[in-house]
Amino acid sequence: MASQLVMYEEEFHRINAVCDRLTKDANAKVVFLVDKNGQLISAAGQTNNIDTTSLASLTAGNVAAMGGLAKLIGENEFPNQFHEGAKDSLYMTLVGGRVVLVVIFDNRTSLGLVRLRIKKASDELEKIFAALAARSAAPGAGSPFAEISDADIDNLFSE
Amino acid sequence: MSFINYSSREINCKIVYYGPGLCGKTTNLQYIYNKTNPETKGKLISLSTETDRTLFFDFLPLSLGEIRGFKTRFHLYTVPGQVFYDASRKLILKGVDGVVFVADSQVERMEANIESMENLRVNLAEQGYDLNKIPFVIQYNKRDLPNAVGVDELRKVLNPRNVQDHQAVAPTGVGVFDTLKGVAKLVLTELKKGGQ
């Protein structure tokens, strides 16, 4: 079974910092980092009016569908996707085969600049996720669930 | 594949509702959505055709409360039940933590139930999961219909391993939350085992 994704304080702050910086450097509206299974990892910029949970799930669905299409035509993956809207556009990049970096931007910036900045941020993120994977795989890195009891689980369901 | 975030103290799990076309997977999610407090749920997203058949998936995020200071969130997904959407079904099973199989109790849907159960086993195996090992519950839906097969018969055909099962009438909510609680509990128990 695929191993679970575990996020620690230190890496979480580093990831958030990369997303924050990308938002500014690319002059983007919003930057999201989404796990390929649809879990939102980080969000930066003007996230107030966006349903981030839905966005994460739909991003994962879209990337999965495009990945399926890629395999049908003999490609391994489509690592980059660009969707152009009337006002806002959306750029998605696969990072390290595991997470998806989503940048939403408007005409205050350009696709060229966004792509350039994404490249740099995605290299940094790849390193952080490699470190995270190593840390989760290290012995003794159990989940917090090791300590919970059956009673804790029962309590969650008692109304 | 659950996602545990120590920094925001959150645990996210993915549950997939599987089953043949028109068995009531989406209806399960709609009932859960309608009956939960606004503060514990997100938006229900349905990617469906013009005739309200699921095209890709339905999605409902749900908060269940806290365990030892960790917020537990469940992401509920349905698959499209129609046979020809198999490529999409496979994608939705990626990273799944628990599965609910919704069976249609009507006698004329028995064949479709069996086919879908087999399809679930094959598609899970393709993603590296074993149906005999992951958290799994079965729901016998549409118990109110006159042509519903007896539960003993359904068990014999669909549940030879005797996994947890529930009887349901999804539009009125009978058995819907029992099923959800059942699978959620299994998922958390599995996480607990994995953490030890």
Side-chain angles (χ1 to χ4, degrees), chain B residues 20-21 56 65 72 76-77 82 121 123 131 144 151 162 171:
Chain B
F56 196 6
T72 54
L76 312 183
Y77 286 82
Q82 292 178 88
R121 185 176 294 281
N123 284 347
L131 181 59
D144 58 328
V151 172
N162 202 18

Side-chain angles (χ1 to χ4, degrees), chain A residues 55-78:
Chain A
L55 181 131
S57 157
L58 289 171
T59 297
N62 175 60
V63 167
M66 290 311 289
L69 266 175
K71 287 197 176 65
L72 280 183
I73 63 160
E75 281 291 324
N76 187 33
E77 200 92 64
F78 291 125

Side-chain angles (χ1 to χ4, degrees), chain A residues 1 3-7 12 37 39 51 54 57 61 98 142 144-148 150 152 154 156 159, chain B residues 1-7 11-12 43 45 56 59 64 67-68 75 77 129 134 181 185 191-192 195:
Chain A
M1 201 182 286
S3 63
Q4 63 194 12
L5 177 61
V6 181
M7 182 63 67
F12 190 57
N37 296 318
Q39 316 278 9
D51 176 355
S54 300
S57 157
R98 172 125 204 201
F145 269 76
E147 294 148 28
I148 65 160
D150 290 341
D152 287 334
D154 282 334
L156 196 60
E159 264 125 76
Chain B
M1 189 200 68
S2 54
F3 172 35
I4 302 175
N5 190 333
Y6 280 93
S7 192
I11 295 190
N12 292 279
K43 231 167 109 182
I45 288 188
F56 196 6
F59 168 71
L64 279 190
I67 289 191
R68 301 240 167 159
H75 288 180
Y77 286 82
Y129 300 97
I134 66 163
K181 282 179 191 173
K185 226 166 141 174
L191 270 179
K192 176 172 162 348

